Every structure is written in structure tokens, then in C-alpha cells.
Amino acid sequence: MAEAVGFRIRPATEADLAALEWGGEYRRFRRLYRTALEEARRGERVLLVAEVQAGVVGQIFIQLGGAFAGQPLSSGYLYAFRVRPEYRNIGLGTALVAEAEAVLQHRGFTQVVIAAAKDNARALRLYERLGYSRFGEDPGQWSYIDDRGKIQDIVEPAFLLAKPLVS
Ligand SMILES: CC(C)(COP(=O)(O)OP(=O)(O)OC[C@H]1O[C@@H](n2cnc3c(N)ncnc32)[C@H](O)[C@@H]1OP(=O)(O)O)[C@@H](O)C(=O)NCCC(=O)NCCS
């Protein structure tokens, strides 16, 4: 993939829900994504997508405050962060994180928190390069209802990383 790929980062809309399933790979998250979009409409989340000419190829979701890993309400939490494999290593991930940080800073948040699976060396390296520091661990136990209505239990032990937002 050439470096000079033109892209823009914008909030996700209803029309993006199908693209976020990546042709079926993430169909299981259909209900989660729809709920997240409803929460975004209520002002509880911001869902960002990275779009190239071919369509949506990356995403990052932001939880605005709320309890997470004992961190205060002044923290925003980044999750559901991914870039399609053929568009990796050209800066889209970095741009998505930077835009998410800008959204949080604009809203007065003073810290960003992100969890990365302990075995996700690539993501950990990226976050540390972007100024995030490990402050703890999370058992990574959570559940969701998949597109067929079945409860899925996930266990994905993670490192927790945070970055202060300076104004
Ligand atoms: C983690 C992830 C979102 C990163 O996305 P990305 O678009 O590849 O991120 P970037 O391109 O900004 O950075 C990746 C690497 O490319 C390098 N890079 C960035 N821009 C570049 C450019 N213009 N030219 C060459 N290399 C570049 C970066 O230095 C970085 O190097 P590093 O791996 O040593 O940190 C992506 O790998 C992914 O979707 N992984 C699977 C899902 C996942 O693990 N998500 C995170 C869950 S915590």
C-alpha cells in the first residue's frame, strides 16, 4: 500500500454499520456496534472511522467517562480500535488515536486510557510510542450478545495504559 493514501477521519453514522463488520469478520459485534451508535447519539461515546476512497478501513471508539478500571470520570477510554490489514503501517492508526485524543481534550478530559491484550506486542509498541504508559492490568473478562443472540464470554488479559492530556 502506498504511503500517500488520502484519508479522512469522521464520526461514524448508521450508514457505516455494515462496513464495520468487515465483510463478516466482525458480524458478531453487530449488536454492540448498534448500541454504541445509540450511546453516541446520547453523547456517551464518540465513534470515529477512517475512510479512504474505497470506504471505511479503520475505527476507534471512545467511551466518554464512566467507570473503567478504577479510573476517574475525567478519563476517556479508547476501544474497538482496528485498521484493515491492507491499510496498516501507513499512519491510519496513529491518526485515529490522535483524533480521539483531540476529541477528548476538546471536551475537557484530562486523561486517555486504553487496554491492550498482553500478547498484542504491536499495539503495545504503538501506544508506548504515542506516549502511553502502563499503569496496571485488567483480567479482560467481558460478555456480549452476538448477532445470533448468543452470549459470548471473553477472557483477554490486558495491560492498561494511560496518557495525560495537557491543555
Ligand atoms: C493496532 C493497529 C490499529 C495499528 O494501526 P496502523 O494503522 O497500522 O497504525 P500506524 O500505521 O499508525 O502505526 C503502525 C506502525 O507503522 C508505522 N508507520 C506509521 N506511519 C507510517 C508511514 N507513513 N510509513 C511507514 N510506517 C509508518 C508506525 O511507526 C508504527 O510502527 P510501530 O509498529 O513500530 O509502532 C492495527 O495494527 C490493527 O488493526 N491491529 C489489529 C487490531 C488491534 O490489535 N487493535 C488494537 C487493540 S488494543
Side-chain angles (χ1 to χ4, degrees), residues 116-128 134:
K118 288 184 176 175
D119 59 1
N120 194 344
R122 184 192 185 109
L124 285 163
R125 191 176 60 213
L126 177 66
Y127 302 145
E128 288 177 341
R134 293 182 203 191

Side-chain angles (χ1 to χ4, degrees), residues 3 81-83 87-94 115-116 120 122-123 125-127 129:
E3 262 186 46
F81 174 41
R82 65 182 71 95
V83 170
Y87 288 91
R88 288 179 191 162
N89 298 318
I90 56 171
L92 290 186
T94 298
N120 194 344
R122 184 192 185 109
R125 191 176 60 213
L126 177 66
Y127 302 145
R129 188 171 51 74

Side-chain angles (χ1 to χ4, degrees), residues 4-78:
V5 169
F7 68 90
R8 68 172 179 139
I9 293 175
R10 58 166 178 80
T13 69
E14 177 101 25
D16 297 313
L17 286 175
L20 296 183
E21 294 185 13
W22 282 19
E25 191 175 342
Y26 290 101
R27 180 181 296 130
R28 62 187 184 279
F29 291 150
R30 182 171 292 176
R31 292 180 189 218
L32 270 187
Y33 288 166
R34 179 159 290 283
T35 302
L37 195 62
E38 284 160 12
E39 288 166 335
R41 289 197 185 108
R42 294 202 299 265
E44 297 163 10
R45 280 165 212 257
V46 175
L47 317 185
L48 298 176
V49 292
E51 184 176 48
V52 298
Q53 206 177 3
V56 168
V57 297
Q59 66 187 65
I60 195 164
F61 293 179
I62 313 167
Q63 182 181 316
L64 301 170
F68 179 75
Q71 291 301 295
L73 287 165
S74 56
S75 293
Y77 169 56
L78 308 186

